[in-house]
């Protein structure tokens, strides 16, 4: 009994120590920040020497004297030469998918240099375990790795004869599955009518193992045994901390995708129970019935996400002219001569879908890469705005790889915001001429045209399609350099100041939050990102995030913050009481 009492006291002491240790660092509610450059992203006052915050809001921006007049008794926080910016905003990401795919087998071009290395990784994965009984790999990238010819069904079956295996490409619009996975999904092997679009078959009518676009991929993923709900939640909490460490204070989730029985509920719980960042969510159409609009709290549900076409790197972009004829398109991507992708939804069908949503106040976000996809979405937006004027919604065209100057002008006039996945230029810039030819390469991701037209011009990382790193995205928007160092479409490069605006004020406007965040102005939330120095053209290497603040308080991204102190303490006390 004495030993039990001593154990109880020791555990209670550990619990108390844990509570104090796990508490995040705090600063005074009334605070003056100075001692380094403050970039406000406010055109009327681009820089300041100091700002004052009270109760999580900015109450003064200007000189140190002005800040002291606003809060004469406030404590002082010294930047020690670091630069203070509005909190960075990621308007297009997928945290559940990023969290789960971050925990599977990595076969990406970020970590592999050749097909032989990728195959060795897959063979090693087939001998081990993972989150599920299946072998799941992510990051296959034939555009980034020049010798990465498509996996065949025979090759996959040799690597894993019995255990189901699926290999997802980097952009998630193509996958390769072995026979065990195809059988588990009920995909017939002997031909006959194929119920699912995108299951590729050979001349003999049998599946080749290639799954192209979401319908076919989802058919296989739907039967993959999911990890436990607790494991998924832990991974998503960790993903939220990853965003905050990278400098983000706000994210926009364009589609609650990821293996979980209630992805919207999971995101609501993580957003409310952690203090890493705020979340704006766009539902999938099938999630709308159970999840109405909600514009308060740390998770706001504001709209719906659609796909008008697919990935440029799987032949899925609905372009105006055919893909280029090259060894990349023919041999590695398996595209026929003069290939042109179709639309994911008919223009009339899309208009019918969004007409009632627009009238009800839902913001619509549409994945559109090729000119025909952009045109179909844009025409629908123009129609619904004429029928019911809702310019405040800033409907969203997402990615915009090949959007034209005329389409940019029309989108701006219709109040449509433009989000660019500019990291395509960095990771795939060297391959773009083989996909689209030289003329389209020079105007790929035309951010400068959009900015000059006065459009709301944001950038995003579309994670897990790229690693979380807003400063890499900033460099790409400014320098337009590929991984080889080649400059791609130099005339579409932005100034540093305009690229920062795309990561802050314009991203806030795209999410409907420009009155609250995105610039450092009196009345706005005190959400900040600290950098080691001011970003400047020609001197962006070595730039790093040194902290994020949310409503006037530093964000604690330690691993212990992924967990709930209340849960830890209650578990310990239950053990003691038992």
């Amino acid at each position: 009994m004495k030993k039990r009492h001593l154990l109880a006291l020791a555990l209670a002491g550990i619990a108390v120590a844990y509570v104090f240790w796990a508490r995040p660092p705090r600063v005074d509610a009334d605070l003056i920040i100075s001692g380094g450059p403050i970039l406000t992203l406010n055109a009327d006052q681009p820089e300041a020497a100091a700002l004052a915050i009270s109760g999580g809001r900015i109450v003064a921006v200007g000189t140190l004297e002005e800040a002291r007049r606003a809060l004469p008794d406030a404590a002082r926080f010294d930047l020690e030469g670091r630069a203070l910016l509005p909190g960075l905003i990621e308007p297009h990401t997928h945290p559940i998918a990023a969290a789960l795919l971050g925990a599977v087998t990595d076969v990406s071009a970020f970590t592999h240099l050749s097909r032989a290395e990728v195959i060795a990784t897959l063979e090693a994965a087939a001998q081990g375990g993972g989150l599920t009984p299946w072998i799941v790999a992510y990051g296959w990238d034939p555009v980034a790795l020049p010798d990465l010819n498509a996996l065949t069904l025979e090759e996959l079956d040799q690597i894993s004869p019995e255990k189901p295996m699926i290999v997802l490409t980097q952009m998630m619009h193509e996958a390769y599955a072995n026979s065990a996975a195809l059988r588990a999904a009920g995909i017939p092997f002997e031909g006959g009518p194929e119920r699912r679009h995108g299951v590729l078959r050979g001349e003999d009518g049998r599946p080749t193992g290639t799954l192209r676009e979401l319908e076919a991929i989802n058919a296989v993923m739907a039967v993959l045994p999911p990890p436990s709900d607790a494991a998924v939640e832990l991974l998503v909490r960790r993903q939220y901390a990853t965003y905050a460490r990278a400098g983000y204070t706000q994210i926009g989730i364009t589609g609650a995708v990821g293996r979980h029985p209630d992805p919207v509920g999971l995101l609501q719980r993580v957003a409310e129970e952690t203090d890493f960042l705020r979340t704006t969510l766009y539902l999938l159409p099938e999630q709308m019935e159970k999840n109405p609009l909600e514009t308060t709290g740390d998770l706001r549900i504001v709209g719906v996400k659609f796909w008008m076409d697919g990935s440029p790197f799987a032949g899925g972009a609905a372009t105006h002219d055919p893909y280029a004829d090259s060894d990349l398109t023919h041999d590695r991507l398996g595209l026929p001569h003069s290939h042109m992708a179709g639309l994911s939804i008919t223009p009339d069908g899309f208009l019918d879908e969004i007409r009632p949503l627009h009238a009800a106040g839902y913001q619509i976000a549409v994945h559109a890469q090729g000119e025909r996809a952009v045109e179909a979405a844009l025409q629908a937006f123009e129609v619904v705005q004429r029928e019911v004027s809702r310019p405040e919604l800033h409907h969203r065209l997402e990615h915009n790889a090949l959007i034209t100057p005329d389409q940019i002008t029309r989108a701006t006039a219709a109040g449509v915001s433009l989000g660019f996945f500019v990291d395509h230029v960095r990771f795939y810039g060297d391959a773009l001429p083989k996909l689209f030819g030289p003329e389209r390469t020079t105007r790929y991701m035309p951010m400068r045209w959009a900015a000059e037209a006065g459009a709301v011009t944001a950038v995003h990382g579309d994670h897990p399609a790229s690693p979380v790193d807003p400063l890499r995205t900033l460099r790409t928007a400014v320098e337009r350099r590929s991984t080889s160092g080649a400059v791609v479409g130099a005339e579409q490069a932005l100034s540093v100041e305009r690229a920062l605006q795309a990561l802050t004020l314009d991203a806030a406007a795209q999410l409907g939050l420009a009155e609250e965040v995105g610039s450092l102005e009196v009345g706005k939330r005190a959400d900040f990102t600290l950098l080691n120095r001011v970003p400047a053209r020609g001197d962006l290497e070595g730039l790093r995030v040194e902290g994020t603040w949310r409503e006037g308080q530093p964000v604690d991204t330690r691993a212990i913050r992924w967990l709930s102190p209340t849960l830890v303490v209650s578990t310990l006390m239950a053990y003691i009481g038992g």
Side-chain angles (χ1 to χ4, degrees):
M1 182 65 68
K2 185 175 180 180
K3 287 184 177 179
R4 184 174 180 83
H5 287 160
L6 289 173
L7 178 61
L9 287 172
L11 290 173
I14 292 171
V16 171
Y18 171 84
V19 169
F20 281 97
W21 177 70
R23 290 170 63 184
R26 307 287 291 179
V27 297
D28 290 359
D30 288 356
L31 193 68
I32 292 173
I33 300 178
S34 62
I38 297 174
L39 308 183
T40 69
L41 274 294
N42 174 8
D44 295 329
Q45 186 185 22
E47 295 188 25
L51 60 78
I53 57 177
S54 180
R57 295 274 175 173
I58 300 171
V59 297
V61 182
T63 66
L64 184 56
E65 291 72 22
E66 289 170 331
R68 285 172 173 162
R69 281 199 298 270
L71 293 176
D73 299 322
R76 170 103 179 272
F77 181 86
D78 190 348
L79 291 170
E80 299 178 338
R82 294 172 295 180
L84 187 75
L85 286 74
L88 301 180
I89 298 172
E90 170 51 74
H92 184 129
T93 189
H94 305 282
I96 301 177
L100 289 172
L101 291 173
V104 302
T105 300
D106 177 7
V107 292
S108 71
F110 307 124
T111 54
H112 297 76
L113 298 176
S114 67
R115 193 180 198 278
E117 289 185 11
V118 172
I119 296 301
T121 296
L122 290 175
E123 290 172 342
Q127 305 304 315
L131 281 176
T132 77
W134 286 34
I135 303 161
V136 182
Y138 170 64
W140 183 274
D141 200 340
V143 178
L145 291 182
D147 68 341
L148 208 60
N149 294 325
L151 285 163
T152 65
L153 188 62
E154 293 74 20
E155 194 172 20
L156 288 163
D157 288 346
Q158 183 177 2
I159 293 171
S160 182
E162 298 179 0
K163 190 182 295 187
M165 168 182 271
I166 185 165
V167 181
L168 298 160
T169 59
Q170 183 67 37
M171 294 297 163
M172 297 284 290
H173 286 261
E174 191 165 274
Y176 305 98
N178 70 349
S179 294
L182 295 174
R183 291 192 184 96
I187 293 174
F189 272 71
E190 300 307 323
E194 179 55 64
R195 297 169 305 185
R196 304 175 186 88
H197 174 73
V199 177
L200 270 60
R201 295 180 177 273
E203 293 181 359
D204 60 358
R206 295 174 62 82
T208 65
T210 298
L211 309 171
R212 186 161 288 166
E213 295 302 345
L214 299 180
E215 183 179 346
I217 296 170
N218 288 341
V220 176
M221 294 295 288
V223 298
L224 189 157
S228 71
D229 293 352
V232 175
E233 181 164 341
L234 178 62
L235 291 172
V236 173
R237 286 172 177 262
R238 184 176 71 175
Q239 185 66 31
Y240 265 57
T242 297
Y243 290 125
R245 278 195 302 273
Y248 292 121
T249 57
Q250 172 86 39
I251 60 171
I253 302 174
T254 46
V257 296
R259 292 301 306 278
H260 190 273
D262 181 17
V264 177
L266 169 62
L267 292 168
Q268 287 174 323
R269 186 164 58 254
V270 171
E272 296 295 336
E273 293 182 3
T274 64
D275 54 6
F276 296 125
L277 38 80
R278 294 184 200 85
T279 301
T280 297
L281 176 62
Y282 298 80
L283 302 169
L284 302 179
E286 60 268 24
Q287 296 167 338
M288 291 180 55
E289 184 177 350
K290 295 182 179 180
N291 301 283
L293 289 177
E294 175 60 63
T295 57
T296 60
D298 279 349
L299 183 138
R300 304 161 56 249
I301 299 175
V302 301
V304 187
K305 167 72 177 294
F306 292 88
W307 281 261
M308 189 57 71
D309 65 353
S311 168
F313 311 115
T319 55
H320 181 270
D321 296 309
Y323 273 66
D325 290 321
S326 67
D327 59 340
L328 171 58
T329 55
H330 296 160
D331 301 337
R332 280 185 273 154
L333 298 183
L335 303 180
H337 176 73
S338 298
H339 169 77
M340 293 179 67
L343 298 175
S344 302
I345 182 172
T346 67
D348 288 344
F350 178 65
L351 179 58
D352 290 342
E353 290 267 14
I354 72 166
R355 182 177 270 128
L357 298 176
H358 169 83
Y362 284 83
Q363 187 188 24
I364 311 301
V366 188
H367 170 120
Q369 298 277 20
E371 301 97 331
R372 284 188 295 117
V374 171
E375 186 65 26
L378 183 56
Q379 286 182 1
F381 288 150
E382 290 170 332
V383 169
V384 297
Q385 287 287 14
R386 285 196 300 267
E387 293 175 347
V388 180
S389 180
R390 301 295 297 267
E392 76 283 357
L393 288 179
H394 283 306
H395 293 314
R396 302 176 50 169
L397 283 171
E398 298 298 287
H399 307 324
N400 298 296
L402 293 168
I403 189 171
T404 67
D406 173 69
Q407 290 171 335
I408 290 171
T409 299
R410 289 164 51 205
T412 306
V416 175
S417 62
L418 303 178
F420 291 90
F421 191 178
V422 73
D423 276 318
H424 278 198
V425 171
R426 178 175 181 82
F427 295 122
Y428 304 106
D430 295 331
L432 288 176
K434 291 188 175 183
L435 290 168
F436 300 115
E439 186 276 328
R440 285 183 287 183
T441 295
T442 62
R443 63 179 179 86
Y444 195 88
M445 295 289 168
M447 290 190 63
R448 186 167 182 176
W449 283 347
E452 290 177 345
V456 173
T457 306
V459 290
H460 55 253
D462 196 16
H463 323 104
S466 71
V468 177
D469 185 355
L471 300 185
R472 180 201 66 236
T473 301
L474 173 71
R475 291 195 303 273
T476 304
V478 172
E479 299 174 350
R480 301 280 301 195
R481 291 190 181 276
S482 69
T483 51
S484 72
V487 176
V488 181
E491 62 273 21
Q492 297 300 337
L494 297 181
S495 68
V496 173
E497 295 74 19
R498 190 61 186 83
L500 285 173
Q501 182 177 325
L503 283 161
T504 54
L505 189 56
D506 276 27
Q510 189 171 58
L511 296 177
L513 294 171
E515 298 300 316
E516 287 287 307
V517 293
S519 61
L520 304 182
E521 301 180 56
V522 172
K524 289 194 174 184
R525 289 177 181 155
D527 289 0
F528 311 133
T529 300
L530 275 68
L531 302 181
N532 60 320
R533 53 180 168 78
V534 172
R537 181 177 288 277
D539 190 27
L540 295 175
E541 291 295 333
L543 197 66
R544 64 179 182 274
V545 171
E546 297 208 340
T548 53
W549 289 41
R550 184 174 182 265
E551 294 187 359
Q553 294 294 330
V555 175
D556 183 5
T557 59
R558 292 177 299 165
I560 200 68
R561 301 297 297 166
W562 308 343
L563 305 175
S564 165
T566 303
L567 177 62
V568 173
V569 173
S570 62
T571 302
L572 286 171
M573 297 311 292
Y575 176 82
I576 293 170

